[in-house]
Amino acid sequence: MGHLPAQREDSRRLPRRQGSGVQWQARGRGGKQLGHGNVAGVGQALLEAQATRSADLPYYLARNEQGMVHASVGYARTLNRLQAMACTASIGPGSTNMLTGAALATINRIPVLLLASDIFATRVGSPVLQELEDPGGYDVSVNDAFRPLSRFFDRVWRPEQLPAALLGAMRVLADPAETGAVTLALPQDVQAEAHDWPEELFAKRVWHIPRPVPEPAALTRAVEVLRVARKPLIVSGGGVIYAEGTEALRRFAEATGIPVSDTQAGKGALPWDHPLAVGGVGSTGSAAANALAREADVVLGVGTRYSDFTTASRTAFQNPDVRFVNLNITAFDAAKHSGTMLVADARTGLEALTDALTGYHVDEAYTARQRQLVDDWNRVVDEAFHLGHQPLPAQSEVLGALNEVLGPRDVVVQAAGSMPGDLQMLWRATDPKQYHVEYGYSCMGYEIAGALGIKMAAPDREVFSLVGDGSYLMMAQEIVTAVSEGIKLIVVIVQNHGFASIGELSEKLGSQRFGTYYRYRNSDTGLLDGDKLPIDLAANAESLGADVIRVKTIDEFREALRQAKASRRTTAVHIETDPLAPVPSSQSWWDVPVSEVAQLDSTQQARKNYEASKANQRSFLYPAP
Ligand SMILES: Cc1ncc(C[n+]2csc(CCOP(=O)(O)OP(=O)(O)O)c2C)c(N)n1
Ligand SMILES: [Mg+2]
């Protein structure tokens, strides 16, 4: 993998009202995984660039191609999508290993350039090693699987096609509305071909990141809805942070008194203790935000794509007259929930709304209610953080200790399992970059690889990769990359011998935690519910080159975190937790279907509960006023 470090011009120095942009310039840095599909093409070019210093093209060798893409996503997200990495992989499995990463990048709207190697364009030796051989068409290769996962895909069958492909790739990477995975498939013979490139191809090129201002008529329509709102609520998504709109959000909220809830990608836009911050909204949100969401008459969604977790599968907003105003860089998201569309950059849009809503403020009773809800919720979080659960600590205590030890510039990274939900509910973020939970794809295995990219983007921050035993076993190998590159990570391994998350869900849905333990197969029951396995993930991390600290209690854990922070080396801290320890309720729901027909009583009861919750699901089909 390697990055395309953008040369960035701080747009704040430019006149804002003109929708001034940020410059994006590819100089090239990247990650790689070499195989026969790219060793002589892209690989040789990288070597020549190093040897002759003809290009500023640093490279990193990842251990797994999927991890390489995750690291690139962590990198670009940390830099608010103003820089991206390029990833080169060999043909066949090397490239298809990047598919999961491509889906993750596109769903999270994070730019990453994938240079997938491909089968010979000339086809003289077909079928070559790792060729798919589609009987329906010889131009199909495994890389066609990238098409639906990429926001731009091109296969460069002939060298002449490369300039247009490169410019198309850069256009999409640098466009905040379109961005995501961009894939250029490079046949292995074409990679090695000579071609007379036009001189202009190598000219310095600056890509301006657009910051569109709202169309005046759309602004008027949005203001009409907002002005009459009695119980409005902001849902602040990742777009606010990517647009560097956190200050604009604070000013807007303070001018109007509208409380601010956040999504997984948006957490930290307002510090948790800001008087108008009400915490996460939706399935794993705070009870405070969810109480306000239930009553809200106007929801102002900013930079959010309204995932099912944010909307509690469309049950979060229960006011029969609720209306949505959606400020988003993409019309696709702005149109959701029949919302009044305000297509614009989050920052410029919030600034325009602040001006246009002059004189508007929510009433005191609403503010008082919001404060009371937040005070009540803060007590719930304090309790969860200091539960004193025995004999093993609760996960909420681990998160609490981590929250207290992390400095404002430090970063916590997570992606899948029970921790994203607990984090969204409990974490008290003090900085827009402190909370890095990948919950667009919620991909097990992102935690360590993503953390690597975050640390590369922000070497001055301590990066804490918080990883469950399931995720660790899925993909821990980028620890080796961190060690070899001297990129310091702190890996917190939370061992609970299985899937606490899916286990709890399974129990709720009447499936009795079936198949969610990492245990020996039990010869009596035939199930995987025997004794705990003698695996030692700390020893595993040690074998990959990390220093390791094993702890049992929360006090020891806190001390270990401090020690890990003080160290210059990649350090893993290992703690075992009780997967059955209690977690506060979000007073919310998530739609996961339960069998309509079942023999088990537990499933039949769960189906009844499911139908009752399902009845609260809203369509939001009424047209915007
Ligand atoms: C790659 C991938 N496979 C499967 C899933 C579905 N899934 C979500 S959470 C989870 C279990 C995670 O286990 P662990 O990391 O130990 O976290 P815990 O639930 O114990 O907190 C699974 C299998 C996923 N999100 N990603
Ligand atoms: Mg687990």
Side-chain angles (χ1 to χ4, degrees):
M1 105 200 109
H3 71 192
L4 304 172
Q7 199 180 55
R8 180 178 146 181
E9 180 172 313
D10 190 336
S11 56
R12 271 168 291 218
R13 279 183 281 135
L14 299 171
R16 273 191 204 140
R17 303 277 162 206
Q18 293 161 12
S20 55
V22 174
Q23 292 182 345
W24 216 95
Q25 181 208 13
R27 272 191 285 124
R29 202 207 265 196
K32 69 181 174 73
Q33 255 297 339
L34 296 180
H36 71 277
N38 59 345
V39 70
V42 173
Q44 184 275 338
L46 278 169
L47 167 66
E48 200 163 300
Q50 311 293 317
T52 62
R53 298 178 188 276
S54 57
D56 179 15
L57 213 63
Y59 73 94
Y60 302 89
L61 178 66
R63 267 56 187 180
N64 175 294
E65 294 87 350
Q66 185 187 133
M68 167 166 76
V69 186
H70 291 341
S72 305
V73 167
Y75 182 87
R77 174 169 162 178
T78 301
L79 296 171
N80 289 334
R81 314 191 294 194
L82 298 173
Q83 298 187 27
M85 295 227 193
C87 299
T88 170
S90 189
I91 83 163
S95 284
T96 54
N97 261 358
M98 299 198 294
L99 284 169
T100 299
L104 184 148
T106 294
I107 289 170
N108 286 287
R109 288 106 192 253
I110 301 293
V112 50
L113 176 61
L114 307 179
L115 303 174
S117 299
D118 218 316
I119 52 174
F120 280 68
T122 53
R123 300 188 199 147
V124 287
S126 281
V128 296
L129 180 69
Q130 300 164 333
E131 181 169 344
L132 177 67
E133 282 203 281
D134 181 343
Y138 296 148
D139 64 338
V140 175
S141 87
V142 292
N143 285 340
D144 285 275
F146 281 99
R147 286 181 189 272
L149 307 179
S150 304
R151 302 305 301 269
F152 180 84
F153 175 94
D154 202 4
R155 185 181 280 116
V156 183
W157 287 120
R158 294 185 56 82
E160 293 87 331
Q161 296 166 339
L162 187 64
L166 291 176
L167 297 186
M170 283 304 301
R171 172 182 59 76
V172 174
L173 286 169
D175 184 333
E178 279 194 66
T179 202
V182 165
T183 305
L184 297 183
L186 305 174
Q188 48 178 313
D189 53 346
V190 178
Q191 281 183 46
E193 259 179 69
H195 187 75
D196 272 334
W197 303 105
E199 195 70 27
E200 312 87 85
L201 181 60
F202 302 99
K204 176 179 167 181
R205 228 169 272 273
V206 177
W207 297 83
H208 295 268
I209 307 266
R211 287 197 178 277
V213 294
E215 185 198 351
L219 185 62
T220 305
R221 288 192 290 271
V223 166
E224 270 168 23
V225 181
L226 284 163
R227 269 213 185 274
V228 294
R230 305 287 312 275
K231 296 178 170 185
L233 177 69
I234 294 169
V235 174
S236 180
V240 174
I241 295 177
Y242 302 145
E244 301 181 343
T246 57
E247 214 15 58
L249 175 72
R250 188 183 59 73
R251 270 188 260 116
F252 175 79
E254 288 173 1
T256 59
I258 305 179
V260 179
S261 68
D262 50 34
T263 71
Q264 286 279 14
K267 189 170 289 298
L270 271 194
W272 75 280
D273 54 355
H274 186 281
L276 289 164
V278 298
V281 70
S283 309
T284 53
S286 74
N290 283 332
L292 295 172
R294 258 191 302 283
E295 300 160 13
D297 55 357
V298 175
V299 176
L300 173 59
V302 189
T304 174
R305 58 191 195 96
Y306 287 116
S307 81
D308 60 347
F309 267 82
T310 297
T311 68
S313 301
R314 299 196 184 214
T315 62
F317 309 108
Q318 285 296 331
N319 184 325
D321 299 319
V322 64
R323 293 286 182 271
F324 294 84
V325 175
N326 299 327
L327 167 56
N328 207 292
I329 192 84
T330 76
F332 176 76
D333 287 319
K336 287 176 178 172
H337 297 169
S338 308
T340 299
M341 296 166 67
L342 197 58
V343 178
D345 169 80
R347 192 180 80 199
T348 60
L350 282 166
E351 287 166 352
L353 278 174
T354 309
D355 289 350
L357 273 168
T358 304
Y360 171 86
H361 201 281
V362 301
D363 66 29
E364 278 173 23
Y366 186 56
T367 303
R369 169 153 170 73
Q370 173 238 314
R371 297 248 162 95
Q372 184 62 54
L373 284 165
V374 171
D375 286 349
D376 293 348
W377 179 249
N378 283 341
R379 276 192 290 277
V380 173
V381 176
D382 284 337
E383 202 175 309
F385 276 177
H386 304 101
L387 212 53
H389 193 71
Q390 293 292 336
L392 290 175
Q395 184 165 284
S396 62
E397 297 172 87
V398 168
L399 302 187
L402 196 60
N403 209 159
E404 283 156 17
V405 170
L406 244 76
R409 300 265 315 151
D410 300 344
V411 186
V412 60
V413 191
Q414 235 288 323
S418 56
M419 282 187 274
D422 291 1
L423 285 164
Q424 163 72 346
M425 186 185 287
L426 305 173
W427 191 264
R428 293 167 163 175
T430 47
D431 176 272
K433 288 292 157 195
Q434 189 190 51
Y435 182 90
H436 188 119
V437 174
E438 185 283 294
Y439 216 60
Y441 209 39
S442 183
C443 184
M444 290 168 77
Y446 176 83
E447 295 88 348
I448 295 171
L452 181 69
I454 296 165
K455 185 70 179 178
M456 287 163 80
D460 61 322
R461 293 176 185 260
E462 289 290 345
V463 180
F464 292 77
S465 168
L466 192 51
V467 57
D469 50 333
S471 269
Y472 184 91
L473 289 168
M474 197 75 77
M475 191 156 40
Q477 59 275 59
E478 298 313 327
I479 288 177
V480 181
T481 309
V483 168
S484 87
E485 295 285 355
I487 298 169
K488 181 198 164 186
L489 300 181
I490 300 171
V491 180
V492 176
I493 305 171
V494 179
Q495 168 66 288
N496 57 20
H497 301 276
F499 305 161
S501 50
I502 309 297
E504 196 210 347
L505 183 65
S506 162
E507 193 167 317
K508 256 193 212 148
L509 306 183
S511 295
Q512 307 171 12
R513 294 187 177 252
F514 172 72
T516 62
Y517 294 109
Y518 283 150
R519 301 284 183 120
Y520 280 112
R521 191 169 292 283
N522 182 338
S523 52
D524 295 335
T525 62
L527 301 175
L528 289 168
D529 60 359
D531 288 340
K532 284 180 182 171
L533 299 170
I535 53 165
D536 184 343
L537 299 180
N540 182 278
E542 200 162 25
S543 78
L544 299 180
D547 289 349
V548 159
I549 310 174
R550 291 177 172 85
V551 300
K552 289 202 181 321
T553 66
I554 292 297
D555 284 343
E556 287 170 7
F557 178 61
R558 235 184 240 113
E559 185 44 41
L561 292 176
R562 290 200 186 98
Q563 217 177 305
K565 259 184 98 159
S567 169
R568 296 164 68 113
R569 289 169 43 82
T570 288
T571 306
V573 178
H574 181 276
I575 186 162
E576 196 167 330
T577 57
D578 178 357
L580 304 178
V583 187
S585 168
S586 63
Q587 308 285 330
S588 190
W589 182 67
W590 182 39
D591 189 348
V592 180
V594 180
S595 292
E596 250 181 304
V597 182
Q599 306 270 336
L600 295 171
D601 287 347
S602 59
T603 314
Q604 288 169 11
Q605 186 51 49
R607 176 71 198 185
K608 281 191 196 132
N609 298 342
Y610 176 69
E611 282 169 11
S613 300
K614 187 107 181 125
N616 295 324
Q617 223 161 13
R618 310 268 317 264
S619 62
F620 303 128
L621 286 176
Y622 41 73

